[in-house]
C-alpha cells in the first residue's frame, strides 16, 4: 500500500510539477544562483502569457552556445550528482533553460525605440525586473515571432545568452512551444527567498499584433 502511494506521488509530481535548480546569473535579480524553483506543467505552452518565466529544453536552439550546470564535472561526479538530483526531483539537465517570455506567436518585438525601451507590438515596455543598471538590450533587433514559437530574454540582459544570441541561427533564436517544459511558479529554496513568481501585468496587457501593425 505504501509503495503504491509513493509511486502515485512520484507520477503526480512528474506530470504536474517539477523542481529545477538555477545555476547562473542570467535571470538576476528575479532568480539567483542556487535558487530552487517549482515549475507548473499544467496547461503547457498553450497557456503562456508575456512575462511568464518558462523552463524549456534548449537542445535544438540554445545548448550549442551556452554550457549549463555541471559542464565541468567528471562523468563519475556528474552521474552521482544526477542520481542525487533525480531522487530529490531537482533537475540539473545542461539543456534546460529558464528565461522570461517577451514575445508570443505573432508579436513584433523591437529594441530599442528612441527612448531606449523595448517595444512589443509598437508599445513601449517599462521593465522593472531588469538587473540594476542594465539596458533592455545592447544588441538591436527587430523580430516578428512565428507561429508556435516564443521570444525569450533573461532579466540580467548584459549576462544572458537568450534569443538575441541566436538571431543568426536556424529558427532565429525563437523557442519552439513544443520544447517548453512548464511555467516557473515559485522559488521554494533557500527559505529566505521563498516567493511566488508572477508575470508582470505591463507585459501581459499588451494587445496582440494585428496585420499592418508590425512594421510601422
Amino acid at each position: 500500500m505504501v509503495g503504491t502511494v509513493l509511486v502515485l506521488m512520484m507520477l503526480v509530481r512528474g506530470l504536474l510539477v517539477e523542481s529545477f535548480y538555477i545555476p547562473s546569473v542570467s535571470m538576476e535579480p528575479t532568480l539567483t544562483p542556487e535558487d530552487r524553483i517549482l515549475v507548473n506543467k499544467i496547461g503547457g505552452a498553450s497557456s503562456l502569457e508575456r512575462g511568464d518565466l518558462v523552463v524549456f529544453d534548449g537542445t535544438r536552439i540554445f545548448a550549442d552556445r551556452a554550457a549549463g550546470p555541471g559542464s565541468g564535472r567528471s562523468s563519475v561526479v556528474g552521474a552521482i550528482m544526477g542520481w542525487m538530483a533525480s531522487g530529490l526531483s531537482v533537475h540539473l539537465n545542461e539543456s534546460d533553460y529558464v528565461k522570461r517570455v517577451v514575445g508570443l506567436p505573432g508579436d513584433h518585438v523591437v529594441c530599442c525605440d528612441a527612448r531606449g525601451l523595448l517595444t512589443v507590438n509598437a508599445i513601449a515596455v517599462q521593465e522593472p525586473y531588469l538587473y540594476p543598471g542594465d539596458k533592455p538590450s545592447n544588441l538591436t533587433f527587430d523580430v516578428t515571432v512565428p507561429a508556435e514559437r516564443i521570444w525569450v530574454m533573461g532579466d540580467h540582459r548584459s549576462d544572458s545568452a537568450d534569443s538575441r544570441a541566436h538571431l543568426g541561427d536556424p529558427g532565429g533564436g525563437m523557442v519552439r512551444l513544443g520544447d517548453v517544459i512548464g511555467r516557473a511558479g515559485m522559488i521554494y529554496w533557500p527559505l529566505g527567498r521563498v516567493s511566488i513568481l508572477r508575470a508582470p501585468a505591463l507585459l501581459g496587457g499588451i494587445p496582440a499584433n494585428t496585420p499592418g501593425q508590425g512594421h510601422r
Side-chain angles (χ1 to χ4, degrees):
M1 182 64 179
V2 174
T4 301
V5 171
L6 289 174
V7 170
L8 289 174
M9 288 177 63
M10 292 177 66
L11 287 173
V12 169
R13 182 179 63 185
L15 292 172
L16 304 183
V17 65
E18 290 189 52
S19 174
F20 287 83
Y21 164 81
I22 304 301
S24 75
V25 300
S26 70
M27 284 302 298
E28 286 184 328
T30 308
L31 301 174
T32 61
E34 300 188 3
D35 280 352
R36 269 71 169 176
I37 61 173
L38 290 179
V39 173
N40 180 6
K41 300 169 69 175
I42 300 175
S46 62
S47 63
L48 289 182
E49 299 179 4
R50 285 186 219 94
D52 280 340
L53 300 183
V54 293
V55 173
F56 58 92
D57 179 356
T59 303
R60 289 184 284 187
I61 296 183
F62 281 30
D64 59 332
R65 288 284 187 89
S71 56
R73 298 189 185 106
S74 68
S75 58
V76 174
V77 174
I80 294 173
M81 290 297 293
W83 176 79
M84 292 174 64
S86 177
L88 296 171
S89 190
V90 178
H91 287 238
L92 298 175
N93 194 328
E94 293 182 10
S95 65
D96 291 341
Y97 296 83
V98 57
K99 302 293 179 187
R100 189 178 298 275
V101 178
V102 175
L104 293 172
D107 281 347
H108 181 216
V109 187
V110 178
C111 199
C112 298
D113 68 2
R115 293 181 294 165
L117 297 176
L118 180 87
T119 68
V120 179
N121 301 336
I123 296 177
V125 180
Q126 298 286 345
E127 300 183 275
Y129 43 77
L130 290 184
Y131 187 80
D134 271 9
K135 299 177 181 179
S137 179
N138 289 321
L139 175 71
T140 59
F141 57 88
D142 184 331
V143 298
T144 298
V145 186
E148 300 300 315
R149 304 265 183 155
I150 53 176
W151 175 267
V152 298
M153 301 176 77
D155 289 355
H156 195 166
R157 296 284 161 81
S158 63
D159 201 351
S160 176
D162 46 41
S163 288
R164 298 169 298 164
H166 301 271
L167 279 167
D169 296 347
M174 315 291 181
V175 175
R176 303 168 188 263
L177 288 179
D179 289 336
V180 173
I181 296 169
R183 178 170 43 204
M186 72 174 294
I187 301 170
Y188 73 89
W189 188 265
L191 293 178
R193 286 186 45 78
V194 172
S195 58
I196 302 298
L197 299 169
R198 295 186 175 90
L202 53 102
L203 270 175
I206 296 174
N209 195 18
T210 57
Q213 176 185 359
H215 297 278
R216 287 196 275 180

